[in-house]
Amino acid sequence: MPRASLPVTKLTDAGVADPAPTAGDPVNQHSMPNTGKTVLRVTNTGAAAHTLTLGTPVTVGGKAVDDTDVSIPAGETRTFGSLSPALYGTNVPIDVDSAELTLIVFEP
């Protein structure tokens, strides 16, 4: 089954309310469009740390670039941005190890 594309909330100068987060799907995983200005907010709603992986689908000199793995502590939120399209691509693969990670994507 293809990755589920995360919905994107467009930021405006009038402000926007936070949308409902998307529960992580550790089976089908996710993807998000990426312009280099895209922002990903990830909250761990669980009682243990969980891992988020941002895929880097590029190679350098014929060798794959390591993905970015981030451990998100229990009950905490991490916000990611300035994801270079040259490194992460224009459609970033996102893997989660638990549905307790919730995701929101913003685009300026």
Side-chain angles (χ1 to χ4, degrees), residues 16-106:
V16 295
D18 278 355
T22 300
D25 183 344
V27 174
N28 298 311
Q29 304 297 351
H30 302 277
S31 66
M32 73 173 192
N34 178 37
T35 65
K37 295 180 180 181
T38 308
V39 175
L40 171 65
R41 184 186 306 153
V42 182
T43 299
N44 182 348
T45 63
H50 289 292
T51 301
L52 171 85
T53 300
L54 299 174
T56 52
V58 298
T59 58
V60 176
K63 297 187 181 204
V65 175
D66 288 342
D67 292 340
T68 301
D69 294 320
V70 180
S71 178
I72 301 178
E76 294 196 17
T77 298
R78 296 289 185 266
T79 304
F80 304 86
S82 299
L83 302 175
S84 168
L87 179 60
Y88 292 98
T90 57
N91 194 35
V92 181
I94 300 170
D95 294 347
V96 297
D97 70 353
S98 171
E100 292 180 330
L101 292 179
T102 62
L103 307 104
I104 299 176
V105 178
F106 296 100

